[in-house]
PDB file of all heavy atoms in Angstrom:
ATOM      1  N   GLY B1274     -16.439  23.349  22.483  1.00 71.00           N
ATOM      2  CA  GLY B1274     -16.679  23.863  21.158  1.00 71.00           C
ATOM      3  C   GLY B1274     -15.465  24.519  20.474  1.00 71.00           C
ATOM      4  O   GLY B1274     -15.625  24.961  19.365  1.00 71.00           O
ATOM      5  N   THR B1366       3.267   3.018   1.376  1.00 80.00           N
ATOM      6  CA  THR B1366       3.707   4.409   1.367  1.00 80.00           C
ATOM      7  C   THR B1366       2.363   5.210   1.530  1.00 80.00           C
ATOM      8  O   THR B1366       1.310   4.740   1.306  1.00 80.00           O
ATOM      9  CB  THR B1366       4.390   4.858   0.015  1.00 80.00           C
ATOM     10  OG1 THR B1366       3.488   4.478  -1.037  1.00 80.00           O
ATOM     11  CG2 THR B1366       5.708   4.210  -0.132  1.00 80.00           C
ATOM     12  N   ARG B1509       4.289  -1.444  32.019  1.00 83.00           N
ATOM     13  CA  ARG B1509       4.196  -1.926  33.355  1.00 83.00           C
ATOM     14  C   ARG B1509       3.176  -1.176  34.186  1.00 83.00           C
ATOM     15  O   ARG B1509       2.564  -1.774  35.064  1.00 83.00           O
ATOM     16  CB  ARG B1509       5.706  -1.771  34.004  1.00 83.00           C
ATOM     17  CG  ARG B1509       6.612  -2.907  33.473  1.00 83.00           C
ATOM     18  CD  ARG B1509       7.848  -2.909  34.381  1.00 83.00           C
ATOM     19  NE  ARG B1509       8.667  -1.719  34.266  1.00 83.00           N
ATOM     20  CZ  ARG B1509       9.510  -1.504  33.306  1.00 83.00           C
ATOM     21  NH1 ARG B1509       9.691  -2.369  32.381  1.00 83.00           N
ATOM     22  NH2 ARG B1509      10.217  -0.404  33.238  1.00 83.00           N
ATOM     23  N   ALA B1589      -2.114   9.747   8.636  1.00 85.00           N
ATOM     24  CA  ALA B1589      -1.926   8.975   9.873  1.00 85.00           C
ATOM     25  C   ALA B1589      -1.036   7.818   9.687  1.00 85.00           C
ATOM     26  O   ALA B1589      -0.650   7.213  10.711  1.00 85.00           O
ATOM     27  CB  ALA B1589      -3.331   8.603  10.324  1.00 85.00           C
ATOM     28  N   TRP B1609      -2.664  19.184  10.332  1.00 83.00           N
ATOM     29  CA  TRP B1609      -3.819  20.028  10.719  1.00 83.00           C
ATOM     30  C   TRP B1609      -4.596  19.419  11.776  1.00 83.00           C
ATOM     31  O   TRP B1609      -4.877  20.069  12.812  1.00 83.00           O
ATOM     32  CB  TRP B1609      -4.725  20.171   9.471  1.00 83.00           C
ATOM     33  CG  TRP B1609      -4.189  20.948   8.345  1.00 83.00           C
ATOM     34  CD1 TRP B1609      -3.971  20.517   7.060  1.00 83.00           C
ATOM     35  CD2 TRP B1609      -3.847  22.384   8.359  1.00 83.00           C
ATOM     36  NE1 TRP B1609      -3.442  21.552   6.354  1.00 83.00           N
ATOM     37  CE2 TRP B1609      -3.355  22.679   7.102  1.00 83.00           C
ATOM     38  CE3 TRP B1609      -3.866  23.297   9.347  1.00 83.00           C
ATOM     39  CZ2 TRP B1609      -2.995  23.964   6.722  1.00 83.00           C
ATOM     40  CZ3 TRP B1609      -3.380  24.592   9.030  1.00 83.00           C
ATOM     41  CH2 TRP B1609      -3.013  24.887   7.738  1.00 83.00           C
ATOM     42  N   LEU B1649      -7.557  -6.951   0.136  1.00 88.00           N
ATOM     43  CA  LEU B1649      -6.419  -7.589  -0.533  1.00 88.00           C
ATOM     44  C   LEU B1649      -6.076  -8.929   0.090  1.00 88.00           C
ATOM     45  O   LEU B1649      -6.251  -9.050   1.318  1.00 88.00           O
ATOM     46  CB  LEU B1649      -5.146  -6.741  -0.521  1.00 88.00           C
ATOM     47  CG  LEU B1649      -5.239  -5.437  -1.288  1.00 88.00           C
ATOM     48  CD1 LEU B1649      -3.888  -4.746  -1.208  1.00 88.00           C
ATOM     49  CD2 LEU B1649      -5.436  -5.766  -2.745  1.00 88.00           C
ATOM     50  N   ASP B1679      -5.859 -30.318 -18.441  1.00 59.00           N
ATOM     51  CA  ASP B1679      -5.905 -30.928 -17.036  1.00 59.00           C
ATOM     52  C   ASP B1679      -6.446 -32.354 -17.206  1.00 59.00           C
ATOM     53  O   ASP B1679      -7.596 -32.593 -17.478  1.00 59.00           O
ATOM     54  CB  ASP B1679      -6.828 -30.076 -16.173  1.00 59.00           C
ATOM     55  CG  ASP B1679      -6.445 -30.104 -14.774  1.00 59.00           C
ATOM     56  OD1 ASP B1679      -5.377 -30.673 -14.549  1.00 59.00           O
ATOM     57  OD2 ASP B1679      -7.150 -29.609 -13.933  1.00 59.00           O
TER      58      ASP B1679
END
Side-chain angles (χ1 to χ4, degrees):
Chain B
T1366 53
R1509 283 193 294 277
W1609 290 118
L1649 291 180
D1679 211 7

